Structure formats: C-alpha cells, structure tokens
Amino acid sequence: MIHLFSLLPIVATLGLFLALRGANLPYLFILTTFLLFCLFHRQYFKLKILLFTFTFLIYYFIGIYTVDQRETVFVAGEQTIYGEVQTIPVIDGDSLSMRLESNKKEVIQIQAYLYDEYEQKQLKSILVGDSCKISGVLSQPLPPTNFGQFDYKRYLYEQNIFWILRPNRAGIQCISTDHQSYFLKLQRWRQNQLRKIEQNISSDFSGIMSALVFGERVMMEGELLEAYQRLGVVHLLAVSGLHVGMIVAASFYMLIRIGVTRERSMEVLLFMLPIYSAIAGAAPSVVRAALMSMVVLLFMRMKLRIPPLLGIVVVYLGYVLINPFIIFQLGFQLSFLVSFGLITSAPVIQRRYNQTGFQLVAITIVSQLISFPIILLHMYEIPILSLPLNVIYIPFISLFVLPLTFISFLIFFFLPTNYNVFLYLLEAVVPIVHQSLLKVAELKWATLIVGKPSTLIMFLFYVSIIYGFVCWEKGGKLWWRTPLLFLSLILLFQLFLPYTDSRAKITMIDVGQGDSFLIELPYRKAVYLIDTGGTISFMNEEWRSRRRAFDVGANIVVPTLKAQGIRKVDRLILTHGHLDHIGGAKALAQGLAIKEVLYSKGPVEGGFERDLLTVLSENGATIHFVNEGMGWSTGGSSFSVLSPVGTEYDLNARSIVLLANVEEVSILFTGDLEEEGERRLVRDYPELQVDILKIGHHGSKTSTTDPFLQQLRPKAAFISVGRNNRFGHPHPDVMNRLEEQEVTIWRSDLNGAVQLLIKNKELNIRTPKGQ
C-alpha cells in the first residue's frame, strides 16, 4: 500500500504540468508510459484508478486556478511605485536588485544601476520591510534571446512577477518602518546578521559562512561559486537536510539537558522549525527538510510511527498544493528527487554495506545518479570528478566546516571576533581548500560537455537509472553490467547525435553590442566561431567592481556552445582587436578547446590583445595571422579571406572579411569593415555576389554603402547590434538602403539569436522563441 501512495507525486505532477504548461508530445509520451505501467501492475487496480484519477483532477484544477489568479494591474512605461521591500537588497558594485510589494499587492523586480559611490552608500541602508517610493521605467522581462539560455521571464512569472522596474537616477527613496509582518521581521534580522558577517569576517570565508548559516550565496566570489557548480559540489553550499538534522538533534539534546521533557522539546522544535526555515532563506531544500522534520516530530509526539517514504510523499503533495509552480524550480526538483532516492535505497545500503566509508560512497553514488540528468539539462556537462570530490568534500563540510561554522557564528553573540578560535581555524583552512578547488576547476577534462538533452533522452536516462536500482536491490553477480551498458549507450547516443545531422548551421549569437557567429558544418565535420562579443566598460572605479562581473564569453557564448554539445572549436576567427569582437575569447579559451585561431595581419596593439593571444596560446591554440588570399575547404564547404591586405593601420579596416560557401549558400562576414574597405572589395572583386551579408560595423553609417550593396545583391542580411545601444546602430540610412533593395533583415536586438539551417541550398530559420 505504501508503494501505491509513493506514486501519487508523479500523478500530482502530471496534473499540475498539464494545467501550468499544457500538453505536448513528450508529456503525452510520459503520461502514456505511466498509464501502461499502471495497467500491467494490476494489484489494487480499482483503488489505484480511483485514487490516481482523483489526485490528477485535484492538482489539475489547482493548477488551473493558480494560472487564472495570475494577472497584473500595471502597464509598461514611466512609473512611480509605492511599496514595501520584500527581499534583502543585493548591492554588487554598481548594481542593486531587490523585490518590492507595491501598494496594489503586486510584487515588482527592481534592477537599478548605481551612478556614483555616494548613491551606493545611501542604498546600502535599505532594510527589508522599508517603505519605498521608486520612480523609473517599468518593462517586461525579456524571453530567452539565445539557444539554451535560462528563461528569466518564465522564472519570474512562476513567482507571480510580471515586471522589472529600472529606477531613474536618484529614483529610490525609502524610509524605515516597524509595521512589518513577522516574516519580514525575521528577514530584517537575517539581513543584519549577514551584514555583521560581511563586516567582521574575512572575504575568503564570509561567503561560505553566509551560505551555510543563512542559505545566502551573494557574498561568494563568482569564480569560486562557478567552480563549485562546475565540479558538481555546489549542493554542499545549500542549507539542506544535513543542516536541519544537525540543528534539530543539537537543539533536542540541549533542551533535554536543561530539564525540558521530551514532549515539550518536540513542541518547541515544531514551533522553531518554520522560523529557522525563514531565517535560512526558505529555499526548496530548506522547506523540504524542515517539513519532513516537522512531520516526523509530530508523529513522535503523538507516539506514532511514520514510514519515511510516506512522510516525503505527504510533504511533496502539501508543498505543491500550496505552490504549484515550485515543480519547475531546479532546487525543488533536486531536493525531492535525491531525498526520495535516498529514502528508498536506505534499506539496501544498510543491508549490503556495514562500514561507514562504503555507506558514504553508496549514498554519494545514488545521489549523483539521481541528480545528474537534471543537472545535465541545466548545465549541459557532466562533472567527471564529482564522485571523488563529493566523497572527500561531504565529510569535510559536514563534519568539520558546518559544525564549526555554526559554533563560530553563535560565539559572535557572546565574544569579540578576536576571541573566536574556531573562526580563526576556519579562516586558515577553508581558503586553502578553495584554492585547490579552483585549480581543479581549471582542468578542461574535469567535465564532459554533452549538450542539452531532449525530453526523450531525459526519460531514457531515468528509466535506465531506475532499472539499475532494481538490479542493485535484487543483487546477484555482476548485477551492474546491464544497467551500466544501457546508461552508457544513452550517453553515447547523446554525445554523437550532432554528428548525425546532415544540415549546416549558421547562428548569429545575441551578444548585445558586438559580433559572434557560429558555423557548424554538416555532420559536424568542423565548428568555426567568428568573434566572441565582449563587454566594453567606460568606467573602472573600484567601487563599481562586482563579485560576479558579467562576461559575454562566460555568460553567453560558452553556454550557447555547450548547449549544442560543442566541445571543441576548430577555428576561432577574431576579425580585429576591438573588445566588442574579442572580449569574450578568454572565457572561451578557458571553457572549451580551441584548435586554431585566425587573427588579422598587422601590429598587435594594446595590452588586452597581447594578453588574449598569450592566453589562447597557453590553452593550446595555434595562432595564424591571416590576410587576403588565404583560405581552406572542408567537407564541400569553402572559406576565403578577402581582407585585410596587411598594410592597414586602422583596426576596423584590418577586419578579417571571410567569404563562406556552405551547402552552395554564400555568406560574407565583414567584421567592422567600413567604406574604404568596401570600395577596395568592389574594385578587386568585381564579380563578387552573395546570398547573405553580415552588415559591417553593426549597421554604422560608415558601412554598407550603395555601391557595395548594389554589387553584392544579397537576399538577406545579419545585423548584430545591442538593444537601445548608445551609438544609434543600425543607422536609418543603412536600413533604408537595405529596404530599397528588398533585403530580408535579421537583427539581434529585435530577433535575438537567429539560426540558419541549410541543406541542399534550402534555408530554414530558427529562433529561441521556437526552441
């Protein structure tokens, strides 16, 4: 009967998904598979049909009701909004983000740019619960503009947030108030403790303490947090069942020691757990662990026993009943899947492994297997070293760092920092461990890039994992061979799937005000990347520096390539030395293998260019300085360099101009070529015509002249340009010239990324909206 109830979370999730996202082919496939499973297992058949149908309908209508309740009362444009701060304001350099509940009871996401250091200092005084008047521009979040990109608009909608407010200069005015709810008072206390940690603890350890005690990672350096994520140990920084279990056990022991009865101790813990959940950030893992503990304590108080599996089923069903959209959050998915897996496998682990070390390895393997398809769906790569690192780091964090962190934090309330011996020990040991972690994260082979799996692949992964658990439970000699074979075959299929695609792909990656074009030849015979985009910074004051500085290469280009399962770039063509074309190349070199780099012939100018070429070379790339006349052919496609000549001095004039003939479709990539370079091409290549033109210099009026267009006669054009850019690109004159010649235009600021799928001279267009 317990196993019957253990299927209810699947039924509830299927009902909610249908209501919240609607039916699609993968959903119908999974639903049909589940129904067939129920049909073939006829035990309790009538009860099963009644219970499952009732559960499905209940959660379906809960989902429908939730969607119907989601509506906004605001409109886009200039607004002045009054409200109460709901989340701890995060100030990172010259940026501020927080959430405001307006006086119309709608939550707004605030994203502010800070103009000077004085404004930064003023806004640091904002507390949770403060009443604010904010004037600025209200706009809807953008949907994904690149393939494989995180859908921030959907993420906010699932939290009932429709708008982002970007305040004007000096547009934030807040006053402190004491009329907050108990929850906001707890959040204000939490904010004050985080400030104390930031002010009193060294930057090498403050991020870890804030993460382990309060579930807040904003103080962690971006590079370190990325290393934790890349190596598959980031879950150790989340407040989870381990934290809650330690706190419950320690608190229960202390209460008993001071003379409180067991019954009263349980009642105190039942009261305190929701408070701790709020203090620790109320992340899904915290709420799940707190609710599970409360269910167990409640049954113990009533002198009843509850099977752990039934407990987690009850908690899951209650959680999604209150917050249906939570099923789409990564933290929620991982927390419940791993907990469910560990609970069901615990009897097998205890029966088959007597030694603690073997049990730890078994628990780690179970957790890694259950979580890896979900992590792969979001990260596109498998952390190869995750298992050995977890075996090492789990005892280190749980037995050393975690208890000493809590003890050292509690000492804050009684003794000055100078007397905190445990803190000194942690500040001495943890940074050394982190340096080792950063070194390991730099190893390219530490992860295997697999690409974003389809729903079918995800389903097959979990079928093979469940089959493996069944074989493990049954035991027998070499029980692991068949499940491992199935899992390996699915993984190999995912790895080699791109090499079966007979289409060529040309992708304009949306890198804002910059250029980046990805070329994938049929059957992935070669992968070429033309430019990497880059962020141009006009102000370098120290106060503006961020813990997680945005990098086009690391945040856009590398994830885009990883989502496609690209592990190696055969040729990186850097057209010229301006940052908006080469600024992301360092992150690319550190994230992927690059075989060759083509750089325009001429003197290497500036420190950044020299540093970049050095980094590329140190990461194994062969660098070629190219000029007119060079070219190559691969698998029926040809590439010819038409410029530079090699005597140009202006960087834009030195742009590599590449003529690509892919699947009998010709594309001309022009970098930032301007009028003088266009005149030379017209003069030296009088027969040159192309199907598609990459508009030079982002549509600047100094490029795309009439003689150039009239000779090339393109049918379509790419314009890579930033939204609302300060340069006014593309220039109206350029747009008029293109429209006069009836050229189809794809703009990254309007269309986002655009991918051309080419086969037998036929073109199909794909954008992120249709992914």
Side-chain angles (χ1 to χ4, degrees):
M1 185 66 74
I2 292 294
H3 292 291
L4 177 63
F5 282 99
S6 69
L7 294 174
L8 289 182
I10 299 175
V11 179
T13 304
L14 287 169
L16 283 177
F17 192 97
L18 181 62
L20 302 178
R21 293 275 178 90
N24 52 30
L25 195 59
Y27 173 84
L28 294 174
F29 174 76
I30 293 170
L31 179 63
T32 303
T33 304
F34 181 75
L35 291 174
L36 289 173
F37 171 81
C38 295
L39 242 134
F40 284 113
H41 292 75
R42 302 189 64 84
Q43 189 179 17
Y44 306 112
F45 187 72
K46 291 183 179 179
L47 176 62
K48 192 185 296 183
I49 293 298
L50 287 172
L51 185 61
F52 287 0
T53 302
F54 177 75
T55 303
F56 182 92
L57 290 175
I58 285 291
Y59 281 88
Y60 172 76
F61 286 115
I62 287 292
I64 291 293
Y65 175 79
T66 303
V67 172
D68 288 343
Q69 293 302 304
R70 305 231 153 170
E71 57 183 11
T72 179
V73 295
F74 291 100
V75 293
E78 192 76 28
Q79 298 274 356
T80 297
I81 295 178
Y82 297 84
E84 189 175 58
V85 178
Q86 295 292 298
T87 59
I88 297 174
V90 177
I91 295 179
D92 189 11
D94 57 5
S95 72
L96 174 146
S97 64
M98 62 183 184
R99 289 181 182 174
L100 188 84
E101 184 179 38
S102 74
N103 54 4
K104 297 179 180 178
K105 300 304 177 184
E106 182 173 341
V107 177
I108 307 290
Q109 180 70 40
I110 310 296
Q111 291 181 356
Y113 173 79
L114 310 183
Y115 291 88
D116 53 54
E117 192 172 3
Y118 175 74
E119 184 180 21
Q120 184 199 58
K121 290 178 180 177
Q122 273 194 320
L123 295 180
K124 280 184 176 180
S125 63
I126 298 176
L127 296 173
V128 176
D130 282 359
S131 295
C132 295
K133 169 188 174 184
I134 304 180
S135 300
V137 178
L138 202 64
S139 60
Q140 289 188 334
L142 283 174
T145 63
N146 280 296
F147 298 101
Q149 186 177 11
F150 176 68
D151 193 339
Y152 187 57
K153 181 176 183 178
R154 175 178 280 177
Y155 169 76
L156 289 180
Y157 169 76
E158 288 167 357
Q159 297 179 66
N160 205 18
I161 299 173
F162 294 87
W163 300 100
I164 294 176
L165 179 63
R166 294 181 171 84
N168 302 326
R169 186 165 190 169
I172 302 177
Q173 301 173 32
C174 297
I175 58 170
S176 186
T177 175
D178 294 324
H179 302 290
Q180 308 111 16
S181 64
Y182 288 113
F183 178 79
L184 289 183
K185 286 180 179 178
L186 284 173
Q187 292 305 302
R188 178 173 285 194
W189 182 85
R190 178 172 181 258
Q191 181 181 0
N192 288 328
Q193 302 315 306
L194 287 168
R195 284 183 177 180
K196 287 180 182 178
I197 291 174
E198 187 173 20
Q199 292 164 2
N200 295 290
I201 308 297
S202 69
S203 58
D204 290 332
F205 185 67
S206 59
I208 293 294
M209 178 176 273
S210 63
L212 293 178
V213 177
F214 292 105
E216 188 60 75
R217 300 176 191 169
V218 293
M219 280 188 257
M220 289 193 68
E221 294 298 327
E223 188 180 3
L224 180 61
L225 184 58
E226 185 181 342
Y228 268 91
Q229 291 170 335
R230 188 163 187 260
L231 296 173
V233 290
V234 71
H235 63 92
L236 298 175
L237 300 178
V239 178
S240 61
L242 177 63
H243 299 64
V244 175
M246 281 182 56
I247 289 170
V248 169
S251 301
F252 188 77
Y253 177 77
M254 288 174 59
L255 289 169
I256 295 294
R257 294 292 294 175
I258 63 175
V260 181
T261 64
R262 293 175 61 88
E263 289 75 13
R264 292 292 172 267
S265 298
M266 292 175 194
E267 291 167 4
V268 169
L269 289 172
L270 282 168
F271 174 76
M272 293 300 297
L273 275 170
I275 297 174
Y276 173 71
S277 180
I279 290 172
S285 60
V286 185
V287 175
R288 189 267 310 160
L291 288 174
M292 280 289 294
S293 299
M294 290 174 69
V295 169
V296 172
L297 286 169
L298 185 62
F299 272 74
M300 287 174 62
R301 178 65 182 84
M302 297 166 63
K303 294 182 171 50
L304 297 173
R305 292 188 63 185
I306 178 172
L309 186 59
L310 182 60
I312 196 170
V313 167
V314 170
V315 169
Y316 182 93
L317 294 175
Y319 201 160
V320 299
L321 188 69
I322 296 168
N323 186 4
F325 276 106
I326 198 71
I327 64 171
F328 301 116
Q329 283 195 24
L330 175 61
F332 174 85
Q333 295 167 0
L334 289 176
S335 180
F336 274 94
L337 275 173
V338 172
S339 298
F340 184 84
L342 290 176
I343 287 172
T344 53
S345 60
V348 184
I349 294 173
Q350 292 170 356
R351 185 174 68 246
R352 300 187 64 171
Y353 309 106
N354 297 321
Q355 296 182 4
T356 305
F358 287 121
Q359 289 181 347
L360 175 61
V361 172
I363 289 169
T364 305
I365 291 174
V366 169
S367 302
Q368 295 292 300
L369 281 173
I370 291 172
S371 60
F372 110 83
I374 294 287
I375 292 174
L376 186 61
L377 183 66
H378 293 270
M379 303 295 291
Y380 321 130
E381 56 188 343
I382 298 172
I384 294 172
L385 298 177
S386 178
L387 179 58
L389 283 173
N390 271 282
V391 171
I392 296 168
Y393 266 77
I394 287 175
F396 173 68
I397 296 291
S398 58
L399 301 178
F400 176 73
V401 177
L402 185 58
L404 291 190
T405 299
F406 270 98
I407 292 170
S408 59
F409 173 73
L410 292 173
I411 290 175
F412 272 161
F413 296 98
F414 307 103
L415 294 173
T417 307
N418 296 337
Y419 294 94
N420 200 331
V421 178
F422 298 106
L423 181 60
Y424 279 123
L425 180 60
L426 289 167
E427 288 181 330
V429 174
V430 172
I432 296 173
V433 176
H434 281 166
Q435 287 304 314
S436 303
L437 196 70
L438 289 169
K439 290 292 183 184
V440 174
E442 290 175 2
L443 302 172
K444 287 191 177 70
W445 56 266
T447 60
L448 174 65
I449 299 169
V450 177
K452 187 176 183 177
S454 65
T455 306
L456 176 61
I457 295 293
M458 290 284 292
F459 178 78
L460 292 175
F461 271 137
Y462 274 113
V463 167
S464 63
I465 290 168
I466 292 169
Y467 174 65
F469 285 155
V470 171
C471 293
W472 177 45
E473 186 174 4
K474 289 180 178 178
K477 190 176 180 180
L478 300 177
W479 61 266
W480 47 268
R481 285 196 307 183
T482 306
L484 182 61
L485 177 64
F486 286 162
L487 196 62
S488 301
L489 288 174
I490 298 164
L491 184 59
L492 286 172
F493 179 78
Q494 172 68 21
L495 285 169
F496 290 104
L497 189 61
Y499 298 91
T500 65
D501 195 339
S502 61
R503 303 168 298 178
K505 299 175 185 176
I506 313 291
T507 307
M508 174 174 64
I509 302 173
D510 180 13
V511 291
Q513 186 65 16
D515 269 16
S516 189
F517 288 84
L518 177 64
I519 301 173
E520 301 170 71
L521 297 186
Y523 303 106
R524 196 161 281 179
K525 291 180 179 177
V527 173
Y528 306 134
L529 184 67
I530 303 174
D531 289 331
T532 61
T535 306
I536 302 175
S537 178
F538 297 98
M539 289 171 272
N540 297 309
E541 296 100 322
E542 186 179 346
W543 71 271
R544 292 184 183 276
S545 60
R546 302 182 183 182
R547 291 189 181 92
R548 296 172 185 81
F550 177 80
D551 183 278
V552 168
N555 297 106
I556 294 179
V557 179
V558 171
T560 296
L561 270 60
K562 285 183 176 180
Q564 306 301 318
I566 295 172
R567 292 174 286 279
K568 179 186 70 173
V569 175
D570 294 286
R571 281 192 173 92
L572 171 62
I573 299 109
L574 298 175
T575 59
H576 63 293
H578 282 150
L579 274 176
D580 59 331
H581 290 255
I582 67 171
K586 279 187 179 180
L588 181 71
Q590 292 159 356
L592 300 171
I594 301 173
K595 189 175 180 182
E596 293 180 276
V597 174
L598 306 188
Y599 207 80
S600 59
K601 186 176 181 180
V604 176
E605 299 179 5
F608 183 83
E609 280 188 85
R610 291 183 183 278
D611 291 345
L612 171 60
L613 294 175
T614 302
V615 169
L616 290 167
S617 179
E618 288 174 348
N619 279 272
T622 303
I623 299 171
H624 303 283
F625 291 90
V626 302
N627 61 313
E628 180 188 21
M630 297 182 177
W632 69 94
S633 297
T634 305
S637 298
S638 63
F639 301 85
S640 305
V641 177
L642 307 186
S643 191
V645 175
T647 58
E648 298 88 347
Y649 288 98
D650 180 72
L651 275 179
N652 285 344
R654 277 167 48 192
S655 293
I656 294 176
V657 176
L658 186 70
L659 175 63
N661 283 285
V662 180
E663 292 290 286
E664 301 183 59
V665 174
S666 56
I667 309 116
L668 188 67
F669 298 94
T670 59
D672 274 357
L673 195 70
E674 295 184 307
E675 185 174 356
E676 183 180 349
E678 291 180 354
R679 283 202 302 267
R680 189 190 70 77
L681 288 179
V682 170
R683 183 184 68 245
D684 293 354
Y685 300 93
E687 304 299 321
L688 180 63
Q689 291 188 346
V690 297
D691 298 308
I692 300 167
L693 172 66
K694 201 292 290 188
I695 298 300
H697 205 182
H698 321 290
S700 165
K701 67 178 180 180
T702 60
S703 304
T704 322
T705 57
D706 265 327
F708 190 59
L709 279 177
Q710 287 169 6
Q711 178 174 310
L712 293 184
R713 304 181 69 82
K715 301 180 184 67
F718 287 116
I719 305 179
S720 186
V721 62
R723 292 168 188 80
N724 305 313
N725 65 86
R726 63 197 296 267
F727 308 101
H729 295 160
H731 196 275
D733 292 347
V734 172
M735 296 302 296
N736 290 335
R737 289 196 286 270
L738 291 170
E739 289 168 5
E740 285 171 6
Q741 295 210 21
E742 299 181 348
V743 177
T744 301
I745 300 168
W746 299 305
R747 290 174 50 171
S748 61
D749 61 333
L750 300 180
N751 307 111
V754 176
Q755 187 176 76
L756 306 185
L757 305 172
I758 309 172
K759 185 176 181 180
N760 299 327
K761 295 186 70 173
E762 291 187 7
L763 281 100
N764 289 301
I765 309 297
R766 182 171 168 251
T767 64
K769 293 178 182 177
Q771 67 179 338

